[in-house]
Amino acid sequence: MLIDANLLIYAVDVRAVDHEPAAEWFTAVLNGDQRIGLPWQSVGAFTRIMTNPRVTARPLDGAEAWDLVLGWLAADVVWMPPATERTATVYERLLGQTSITGNLVPDAQMAALAIEHGLVLCSADTDFARFPGLRWENPLRR
C-alpha cells in the first residue's frame, strides 16, 4: 500500500476529526506484515502541514515532525518507493485520460507512483477515484 499525507496528518493531529480511526489504523499497519510505502510526497506534505501554525492549531517544530517520520521509516514494513522513468510514463497516460490541473497535480503524481509499483493508494481524499487504473481505498470508511 502507498499512504497519502492526509492519513499521516490525521493520525498525528489529535484535533483532526478523523484522528482516532486514523491513529488506530496507522498503528495497526505499522505493526502488521504488509509493506507500507511512504513516498517523499507524503512525508514532505506531512512535514509542511504539521509544522505550519496557519494550518494546525498545535504545530510541531521541524525536528519533532522529522522524528515521527524517522520512527515510521524505521518500521520493518515501511519503505520509500522511488519514482522512476516509468512513473513519468504512467503520469503522462493519466494526463491523457483525466484533466489534471492545480491541486490534482500532486494527486496524479501519487496515483502514477502507486500504479507503477502495483500498490493500493490509501487516502481519505476522494479525488483519487477519478484516476483510471488506480486502486484506491479510504481505510477510514470501511
Side-chain angles (χ1 to χ4, degrees):
M1 80 179 65
L2 190 71
I3 299 181
D4 190 18
N6 60 29
L7 295 174
L8 303 175
I9 292 163
Y10 299 159
V12 171
D13 187 351
V14 296
R15 295 182 180 205
V17 173
D18 286 322
H19 168 67
E20 202 167 303
E24 289 174 10
W25 174 81
F26 192 48
T27 299
V29 297
L30 284 174
N31 292 306
D33 56 6
Q34 183 179 0
R35 284 183 83 190
I36 302 168
L38 286 183
W40 273 112
Q41 295 97 315
S42 295
V43 168
F46 167 81
T47 305
R48 178 177 49 84
I49 290 168
M50 290 303 297
T51 60
N52 188 335
R54 291 177 289 166
V55 176
T56 183
R58 292 180 146 175
L60 303 174
D61 68 33
E64 290 172 317
W66 190 244
D67 282 346
L68 288 170
V69 170
L70 288 176
W72 301 333
L73 293 173
D76 290 338
V77 295
V78 176
W79 65 298
M80 192 169 276
T84 68
E85 291 83 8
R86 185 161 162 7
T87 312
T89 302
V90 174
Y91 181 78
E92 182 179 18
R93 188 181 79 230
L94 291 175
L95 280 170
Q97 297 171 322
T98 307
S99 176
I100 298 172
T101 59
N103 290 339
L104 288 179
V105 170
D107 290 352
Q109 292 170 340
M110 285 280 290
L113 189 64
I115 292 168
E116 173 187 5
H117 289 283
L119 303 172
V120 173
L121 196 149
C122 294
S123 177
D125 183 348
T126 59
D127 283 337
F128 286 109
R130 69 179 68 212
F131 298 114
L134 175 66
R135 293 180 302 139
W136 163 76
E137 69 178 45
N138 180 349
L140 306 181
R141 302 291 179 255
R142 290 187 174 172

